[in-house]
């Protein structure tokens, strides 16, 4: 058993290494091609799609077994015709088709994996023309009596049939090959997606049912299959286009009228097939474009999220540092107050109560100033009483009152329901906006804020405005607002706007 396992994995070397799994692949491919040939016509040749799809799925080292399987399949089909059509044609035609397709796929493989899936259209078109040209050239050169059908007519019929066969299976094979790459662009399968996919075969069956009695309605139903195909493309990008195009072509091929003869041909359906071939090209190109822009937008969004996250972390680290610094300042102030209190007590015991009283009043005044400055470094009160009280009782309130330009703030809502980090960011942004207006603009300033919940979540809107409604912010102020406030506001999922006489900022709990 162990010897058999090694032989199965490593194979046998006779000039080239023969893998048992490769031989199994060749046999399976030959049988699959033969089965697909039974449902194929000149104007819809599913075997061409099997060849390209298999080459896209199977690793390069196993391609020789695909070529061997295709040769075995074609030999089984054409050798019985060798007496009638010539032994040279029976040998050369199978030997040329699959290697040619393999070379075309090999040339496209790098651009398909690294570039746009729209290259599938180029692959399908070149492969279809190559296969048709080989078949026609071999028939013209090696058949004793060439076919009665004209060369151009055969070329168009064969090319369209091969092209539709390739568009039926190759996009699905390519999507499966890259199923783990850019998986996020697939999109969530919804009831609408399932409904669109089901509508395509339903319309095809309905067209067959009414074909004999109402041919015009049958054609309209076939054309209507394009609408759910477009919907799948819009919902899922190029993968949706691949599924839609494959499904449309497959149901068209299965429901196509056929006499069962090798030269069976339906001219009415062929016209519709040519139109659907153009539609398939358009859908694949559209789907590829949708996926490309989706991936680019997704990359930009991820990069933007990373920048916002890093900015928020930097602000958080900076605030933690300022908090420690303010705590150190408060500890120093408490130490100074303690020593001054002890000194005042000593002076009282020594009989100097007036000096002690002056010392206590002076120390209380400067202690209050010191703590106000410490609150400007970091508003510790915000963590305990919320944003609004921190604005009204902290050091920033004294600063605003001293300018005699700041009116009583208008504050609405309960900021304590918001995270401390969001309140702190709002505090910094608002104080910076007021500072800019004080430096760059003239007139009285009104500060207002409103916090609460909306359908987008909780957040807060703050406005710093010049009271004069006819006032317009200068260009220098607007530029300074963008440079100094946008980063902090955007890091909290918000926006900052300059409207006529005011600065308006929205910060959200993200």
């Amino acid at each position: 058993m162990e010897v058999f396992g090694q032989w199965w994995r490593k194979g046998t070397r006779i000039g080239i290494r023969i893998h048992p799994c490769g031989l199994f692949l060749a046999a399976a491919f030959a049988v699959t091609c033969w089965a697909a040939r039974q449902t194929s016509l000149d104007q819809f040749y599913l075997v061409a799609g099997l060849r390209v799809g298999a080459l896209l799925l199977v690793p390069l080292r196993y391609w020789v077994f695909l070529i061997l399987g295709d040769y075995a399949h074609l030999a089984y089909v054409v050798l019985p015709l060798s007496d009638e059509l010539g032994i040279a044609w029976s040998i050369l035609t199978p030997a040329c088709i699959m290697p040619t397709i393999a070379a075309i796929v090999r040339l496209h493989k790098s651009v398909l994996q690294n570039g746009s899936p729209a290259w599938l259209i180029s692959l399908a078109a070149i492969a279809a023309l190559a296969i048709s040209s080989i078949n026609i050239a071999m028939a013209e050169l090696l058949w004793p009596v060439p076919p009665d059908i004209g060369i151009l007519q055969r070329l168009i019929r064969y090319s369209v049939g091969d092209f539709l066969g390739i568009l039926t299976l190759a996009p699905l094979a390519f999507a499966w090959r890259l199923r783990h790459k850019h998986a996020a662009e697939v999109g969530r399968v919804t009831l609408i997606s399932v409904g669109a996919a089901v509508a395509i075969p339903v319309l095809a069956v309905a067209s067959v049912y009414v074909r004999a009695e109402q041919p015009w309605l049958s054609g309209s139903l076939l054309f209507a299959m394009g609408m759910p195909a477009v919907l799948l493309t819009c919902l899922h990008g190029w993968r949706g286009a691949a599924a839609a195009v494959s499904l449309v072509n497959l149901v068209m091929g299965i429901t196509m009228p056929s006499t069962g003869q090798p030269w069976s041909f339906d001219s009415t359906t062929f016209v519709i097939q040519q139109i659907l071939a153009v539609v398939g090209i358009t859908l694949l190109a559209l789907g590829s474009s949708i996926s490309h822009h989706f991936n680019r937008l997704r990359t930009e969004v991820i990069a933007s999220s990373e920048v916002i996250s890093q900015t928020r972390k930097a602000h958080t680290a900076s605030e933690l540092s300022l908090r420690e610094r303010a705590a150190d300042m408060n500890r120093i102030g408490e130490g100074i107050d303690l020593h001054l209190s002890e000194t005042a007590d000593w002076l009282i015991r020594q009989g100097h109560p007036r000096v002690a009283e002056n010392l206590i009043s002076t120390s209380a005044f400067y202690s209050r100033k010191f703590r106000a400055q410490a609150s400007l470094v970091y508003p510790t009160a915000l963590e305990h009483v919320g944003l609004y009280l921190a604005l009204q009782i902290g050091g920033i309130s004294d600063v605003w009152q001293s300018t005699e330009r700041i009116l009583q703030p208008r504050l609405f809502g309960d900021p304590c329901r918001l995270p401390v980090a969001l309140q702190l960011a709002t505090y910094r942004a608002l104080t910076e906006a007021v500072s800019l207006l004080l430096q760059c603009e003239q007139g009285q300033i009104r500060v207002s804020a409103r916090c609460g919940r909306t359908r987008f979540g909780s957040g807060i809107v703050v406005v710093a405005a010049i009271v004069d409604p006819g006032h317009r912010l200068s260009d220098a102020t607007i530029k300074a607002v963008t440079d100094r406030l946008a980063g902090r506001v955007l890091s909290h999922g918000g926006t900052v706007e300059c409207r006529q006489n005011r600065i308006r900022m929205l910060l959200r709990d993200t």
Side-chain angles (χ1 to χ4, degrees):
M1 196 62 160
E2 183 178 354
V3 174
F4 175 78
Q6 292 179 355
W7 170 75
W8 179 266
R9 290 191 303 270
K10 298 182 179 179
T12 304
R13 188 174 185 83
I14 308 176
I16 61 172
R17 187 173 296 279
I18 304 298
H19 290 270
C21 57
L23 296 176
F24 176 78
L25 175 64
F29 184 67
V31 172
T32 306
C33 288
W34 175 83
R37 191 182 187 90
Q38 307 310 307
T39 60
S40 297
L41 302 172
D42 290 343
Q43 65 192 85
F44 180 71
Y45 197 60
L46 203 57
V47 180
L50 275 177
R51 289 166 176 158
V52 175
L55 291 169
L56 288 173
L57 283 177
V58 174
L60 184 62
R61 64 182 181 275
Y62 289 110
W63 281 14
V64 64
F65 298 104
L66 293 178
I67 296 174
L68 178 63
D70 186 71
Y71 191 88
H73 144 253
L74 287 177
Y76 176 79
V77 173
V78 303
L79 280 179
L81 304 174
S82 59
D83 293 338
E84 179 184 352
L85 302 177
I87 190 66
W89 173 80
S90 302
I91 295 175
L92 292 178
T93 300
C96 293
I97 293 178
M98 193 62 172
T100 302
I101 300 176
I104 295 172
V105 174
R106 185 71 181 89
L107 291 174
H108 283 81
K109 206 157 191 180
S110 61
V111 293
L112 282 173
Q113 291 180 348
N114 301 325
S116 169
W119 281 100
L120 277 174
I121 301 171
S122 170
L123 170 60
I126 295 175
L129 286 173
I131 298 171
S132 303
S133 300
I134 291 173
N135 284 324
I136 293 173
M138 290 297 179
E140 291 293 328
L141 294 174
L142 301 177
W143 281 16
V145 180
D148 296 334
I149 305 175
I151 294 178
L152 182 59
Q153 183 180 356
R154 275 184 290 159
L155 180 63
I156 295 175
R157 186 186 300 181
Y158 291 171
S159 298
V160 172
D162 292 337
F163 183 77
L164 290 175
I166 295 172
L167 283 190
T168 301
L169 297 180
L172 294 179
F174 185 67
W176 178 260
R177 180 68 183 270
L178 299 183
R179 63 190 182 279
H180 299 305
K181 186 178 182 182
H182 304 303
E185 74 182 49
V186 176
R188 188 168 61 91
V189 176
T190 62
L191 189 60
I192 297 177
S193 307
V194 176
V198 172
I200 294 175
V202 169
L203 290 172
V205 173
S207 71
V208 174
Y209 182 75
V210 302
R211 180 178 292 158
E213 299 177 356
Q214 296 176 309
W216 64 271
L217 180 58
S218 176
S220 299
L221 291 174
L222 291 177
F223 280 116
M225 290 192 301
M227 291 187 288
V230 171
L231 181 59
L232 284 174
T233 302
C234 295
L235 290 176
H236 301 284
W238 78 267
R239 285 178 168 83
V245 171
S246 299
L247 195 56
V248 168
N249 290 331
L250 187 61
V251 297
M252 279 290 296
I254 294 175
T255 60
M256 189 184 306
S258 173
T259 62
Q261 301 299 320
W263 302 103
S264 176
F265 180 75
D266 183 70
S267 58
T268 303
T269 308
F270 187 65
V271 173
I272 299 176
Q273 281 184 300
Q274 293 180 73
I275 297 174
L276 289 179
V278 176
V279 172
I281 293 173
T282 304
L283 287 180
L284 285 174
L286 174 62
S288 176
S289 177
I290 290 174
S291 295
H292 169 73
H293 290 292
F294 173 83
N295 285 328
R296 188 174 69 176
L297 178 61
R298 178 172 173 270
T299 301
E300 292 176 356
V301 169
I302 291 175
S304 176
S305 299
E306 288 292 331
V307 171
I308 290 175
S309 176
Q310 294 298 327
T311 303
R312 186 181 299 180
K313 290 178 181 178
H315 288 160
T316 301
S318 175
E319 293 294 350
L320 288 175
S321 176
L322 292 175
R323 187 176 188 276
E324 291 297 326
R325 186 178 302 175
D328 290 338
M329 293 175 66
N330 286 325
R331 283 193 291 270
I332 293 173
E334 290 173 358
I336 294 174
D337 291 344
L338 178 61
H339 287 295
L340 289 176
S341 177
E342 292 176 350
T343 302
D345 291 341
W346 181 83
L347 288 172
I348 292 174
R349 289 196 300 270
Q350 297 298 320
H352 305 287
R354 185 175 294 277
V355 176
E357 182 180 349
N358 290 336
L359 178 61
I360 290 173
S361 61
T362 303
S363 66
F365 174 78
Y366 285 105
S367 176
R368 186 170 61 253
K369 291 287 188 182
F370 185 83
R371 294 182 186 282
Q373 291 299 316
S375 70
L376 292 176
V377 175
Y378 183 87
T380 308
L382 183 146
E383 298 179 0
H384 305 289
V385 296
L387 171 66
Y388 290 171
L389 287 178
L391 290 173
Q392 293 174 323
I393 64 175
I396 191 65
S397 176
D398 296 338
V399 173
W400 287 356
Q401 289 178 5
S402 65
T403 64
E404 298 182 351
R405 292 179 55 190
I406 312 296
L407 302 182
Q408 185 67 25
R410 296 176 177 175
L411 308 174
F412 305 94
D414 183 8
C416 295
R417 296 183 179 182
L418 300 175
V420 173
L422 181 61
Q423 295 184 59
L424 185 58
T426 305
Y427 176 90
R428 298 297 188 191
L430 181 58
T431 54
E432 185 71 20
V434 172
S435 176
L436 286 173
L437 293 180
L438 289 172
Q439 294 175 10
C440 304
E441 304 294 333
Q442 300 293 326
Q444 298 288 102
I445 299 173
R446 170 80 71 183
V447 173
S448 59
R450 181 182 295 275
C451 58
R453 291 190 60 84
T454 66
R455 59 193 179 98
F456 300 107
S458 58
I460 182 170
V461 176
V462 292
V463 177
I466 301 297
V467 175
D468 181 8
H471 187 88
R472 295 294 181 271
L473 300 181
S474 65
D475 294 339
T477 302
I478 296 174
K479 184 178 184 305
V481 168
T482 303
D483 294 341
R484 295 164 61 173
L485 299 181
R488 187 179 297 275
V489 174
L490 290 176
S491 66
H492 285 270
T495 57
V496 56
E497 301 172 341
C498 294
R499 296 180 177 179
Q500 298 180 353
N501 63 327
R502 63 188 181 275
I503 302 171
R504 179 182 182 275
M505 293 171 288
L506 166 65
L507 291 89
R508 293 185 296 178
D509 179 11
T510 57

